[in-house]
Amino acid sequence: MRIRIRLVAFALMLVAAALPAAVRAGDAVKADGIKVEVTGFRNDKGQLGCSLWPGPAGFPRDDSHILRHIWAKIQGNRGECVFGGVPAGDYAVTLFHDENGNGKFDSNFIGYPLEGYGFSNNAKAQFKAPSFDETKFHYNGTGTKQMSVQIIYR
């Protein structure tokens, strides 16, 4: 029994020793990717939600087509979303200020936005959301693709 306990303790020590190396390796993977800097928040309440779209299917309303969605903190009226480990391709980003922290983009009964939002290429919504083609950009799969988006409030 004591041998088994010692083996388990030894295995846990090996896992603990390997953990910092695994975290560092994961960080290296995340260094390459798409970095979106968002400015113009009216306050630091809630959180920033960013979605990465791999194509026009469902854009920008059908969440089942999103490649990745992440949440980020807002500090000093700025936020940053980083999508690491993304393969080369054409993408678009949608984002919103989840000001009340309920995890969704709030709009009124006719679809008028109640929270701030934005699109890659700073594409503007006129009477409808911009298309994927208006918001798309190319990522070559290496290094970091940086972009800035100004959040919009209506």
Side-chain angles (χ1 to χ4, degrees), residues 58-100:
F59 184 85
R61 300 200 192 300
D62 185 352
D63 293 351
S64 68
H65 295 278
I66 292 172
L67 177 66
R68 200 172 302 153
H69 181 83
I70 58 175
W71 295 102
K73 290 183 179 183
I74 301 167
Q75 275 186 312
N77 298 342
R78 303 175 72 85
E80 181 179 284
C81 293
V82 179
F83 299 97
V86 179
D90 289 336
Y91 297 96
V93 172
T94 57
L95 55 92
F96 72 99
H97 180 187
D98 181 21
E99 203 165 357
N100 60 7

Side-chain angles (χ1 to χ4, degrees), residues 1-13:
M1 185 68 153
R2 287 185 183 229
I3 293 174
R4 180 179 284 167
I5 292 172
R6 286 184 183 166
L7 285 174
V8 169
F10 181 71
L12 288 173
M13 286 188 330

